[in-house]
Amino acid sequence: MFIELVDLLRCPRDHDDTWLVAAIYEKADRDIITGMLGCPICSATYPIRDGVALFGETTMDNRESARGAYAESDEDMAMRCAAMLDLFDPGGAVILSGSWCRAARALLDISPVSILLVDPPAGTRVGHGLSAIRIDDRLPVAPGSLRGVALDERMAAPRLVEAAVRALKSGGRLVAPVSVPLPPGVTERARDDRDWVGEAGVIATPPVPMTLRPR
């Protein structure tokens, strides 16, 4: 778990939004290998084991998801992901979930962004730019903190789609399977036979008053 990404994580329990406090037991460079995340409001704790923050007991086996039926290399998948999430400029953080995690390492070669993997397939290597969490049915991420989220078939439950929209910055991109209805607050930008691409609504700001100075 990349230390700087801890700032984006939130306690998933029902109370006021709050950051988490990290206790580091073992780290390598800027990655936490073993540690604990604690909530200052409800005192819940979430362990970090082998670099993965555990917010739930969900695990993924080695079976291919439906996406695995497509003959697509990790590099091709990464390029498609970068195009859909508009990641050709550096900076910011994105979430890749489930089978999209397969593209993560190649995506780092395309765009230097911070990548948080959600429920990656078993055996996925983290560190060196990749962080990971495991969850149940909630997304423990701060509102308005991400530039992009890619959800696969397994992760596109209604509650997680809603949480992904809340986690996006204005203008951030959301990718989800075509079987998933477009959520409120998201404008469709593109669609193929597998996924649609949506953009989070831009939050309007009040006009700035201008005063003319006399010459």
Side-chain angles (χ1 to χ4, degrees):
M1 171 60 63
F2 189 47
I3 291 175
E4 278 72 10
L5 276 185
V6 171
D7 291 341
L8 303 184
L9 300 178
R10 295 292 185 269
C11 180
R13 295 190 176 183
D14 291 324
H15 53 59
D16 291 342
D17 181 73
T18 183
W19 65 89
L20 298 174
V21 178
I24 301 173
Y25 307 146
E26 178 188 0
K27 72 182 185 75
D29 195 16
R30 302 293 294 168
D31 290 310
I32 303 173
I33 307 301
T34 307
M36 189 74 69
L37 300 174
C39 175
I41 291 182
C42 69
S43 300
T45 57
Y46 307 99
I48 300 173
R49 298 175 188 154
D50 297 323
V52 180
L54 305 177
F55 290 90
E57 297 302 321
T58 302
T59 59
M60 291 191 66
D61 58 28
N62 287 311
R63 290 176 298 178
E64 291 281 346
S65 70
R67 189 174 301 280
Y70 296 95
E72 184 176 37
S73 69
D74 293 357
E75 290 74 18
D76 288 344
M77 191 178 189
M79 184 59 71
R80 193 162 67 90
C81 183
M84 287 179 155
L85 293 180
D86 191 21
L87 298 181
F88 295 107
D89 294 324
V94 300
I95 276 180
L96 303 184
S97 75
S99 58
W100 281 107
C101 297
R102 194 162 56 86
R105 190 65 65 181
L107 183 59
L108 286 177
D109 294 332
I110 299 171
S111 179
V113 295
S114 296
I115 300 177
L116 180 62
L117 308 179
V118 176
D119 283 359
T124 301
R125 293 185 300 113
V126 297
H128 300 288
L130 299 183
S131 300
I133 59 176
R134 294 206 178 275
I135 65 173
D136 286 330
D137 61 347
R138 299 197 176 195
L139 193 62
V141 180
S145 60
L146 301 173
R147 65 180 290 187
V149 177
L151 302 175
D152 72 350
E153 295 89 347
R154 179 180 168 276
M155 297 299 296
R159 188 168 186 168
L160 288 175
V161 173
E162 292 174 10
V165 175
R166 289 194 299 271
L168 288 173
K169 297 180 178 181
S170 295
R173 295 284 185 92
L174 175 63
V175 173
V178 292
S179 59
V180 176
L182 196 73
V186 173
T187 302
E188 184 174 318
R189 294 301 183 199
R191 179 181 291 258
D192 61 18
D193 60 335
R194 299 185 232 175
D195 304 287
W196 52 253
V197 182
E199 184 174 282
V202 178
I203 300 172
T205 56
V208 178
M210 298 180 65
T211 359
L212 294 177
R213 292 183 180 177
R215 293 185 177 179

